[in-house]
């Protein structure tokens, strides 16, 4: 069991005991889910770990871990984490959707496959994130009704490399219209 008194402690237990203290850490807001979804997929793909900030602040367990591991490479995924740890390389956009694009641009050069999932709720993204992390591909968030413009622009700019876009969830999560927009963007 990898567990701690808080979510922050549990993330550290996973990084330490489960992942043997990887040298790349992706820090993300532990108080909300959107930035953690693409961060988790990226961490899995690059052999890193996700550690949690408390919004825009660094909780004591995280600070203790960072002090004990000064040689790690730090990325702050999303605006709150970037504000919490200014020494980390910021990987953030103005919205959760733009942050997922920033993660894709930072960690994936010319992906052959991308995952697309609703950014308004986490269950499909949580399970889809594990799938794309295992395969080594990015997870992009979009509103359910239509494809987010920043995601569409990313797909269009990388369409020559992309062979497949996997959409996670049913039409209630990502509409048929949004799916058609994904297809058009990578065609």
């Amino acid at each position: 069991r990898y567990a701690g008194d808080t979510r922050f402690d549990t993330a550290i237990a996973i990084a330490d005991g489960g992942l043997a203290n990887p040298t790349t850490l992706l820090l993300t807001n532990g108080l909300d889910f959107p930035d953690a979804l693409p961060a988790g997929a990226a961490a899995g793909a690059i052999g890193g770990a996700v550690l949690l900030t408390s919004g825009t602040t660094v909780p004591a367990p995280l600070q203790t871990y960072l002090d004990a591991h000064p040689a790690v490479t730090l990325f702050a995924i999303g605006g709150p984490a970037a504000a919490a740890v200014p020494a980390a390389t910021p990987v953030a956009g103005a919205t959760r959707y733009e942050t997922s694009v920033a993660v894709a641009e930072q960690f994936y050069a010319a992906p052959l496959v991308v995952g697309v999932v609703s950014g308004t709720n986490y269950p499909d993204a949580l399970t889809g994130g594990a799938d794309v992390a295992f395969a080594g591909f990015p997870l992009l968030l979009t509103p359910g009704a239509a494809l987010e413009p920043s995601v569409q622009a990313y797909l269009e700019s990388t369409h020559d490399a992309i062979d497949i876009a996997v959409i996670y969830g049913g039409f209630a999560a990502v509409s048929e219209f949004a799916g058609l927009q994904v297809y058009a963007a990578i065609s």
Side-chain angles (χ1 to χ4, degrees):
R1 178 182 298 260
Y2 299 114
D5 292 337
T6 68
R7 64 186 73 188
F8 311 106
D9 296 307
T10 297
I12 290 166
I14 294 166
D16 181 37
L19 300 172
N21 298 307
T23 59
T24 302
L25 301 176
L26 283 70
L27 309 175
T28 192
N29 182 6
L31 303 180
D32 202 2
F33 70 89
D35 296 338
L37 299 172
I46 65 170
V50 174
L51 295 182
L52 305 175
T53 66
S54 182
T56 59
T57 63
V58 177
L62 175 58
Q63 189 60 60
T64 301
Y65 185 87
L66 294 176
D67 291 344
H69 300 88
V72 297
T73 302
L74 299 174
F75 293 93
I77 309 302
V85 186
T89 300
V91 182
T95 67
R96 62 186 65 188
Y97 311 111
E98 291 176 14
T99 294
S100 73
V101 169
V103 170
E105 291 171 339
Q106 177 70 42
F107 297 105
Y108 304 92
L112 299 175
V113 177
V114 295
V116 179
V117 67
S118 170
T120 60
N121 207 347
Y122 69 89
D124 295 332
L126 184 62
T127 53
D131 184 42
V132 295
F134 183 75
F137 302 118
L139 185 67
L140 300 166
L141 307 181
T142 188
L147 188 60
E148 158 66 28
S150 64
V151 173
Q152 183 172 356
Y154 171 78
L155 293 174
E156 289 170 349
S157 71
T158 57
H159 80 276
D160 286 341
I162 298 171
D163 286 336
I164 300 171
V166 179
I167 299 172
Y168 296 98
F171 292 135
V174 178
S175 71
E176 184 175 9
F177 176 70
L180 292 171
Q181 289 179 294
V182 169
Y183 177 76
I186 66 170
S187 295

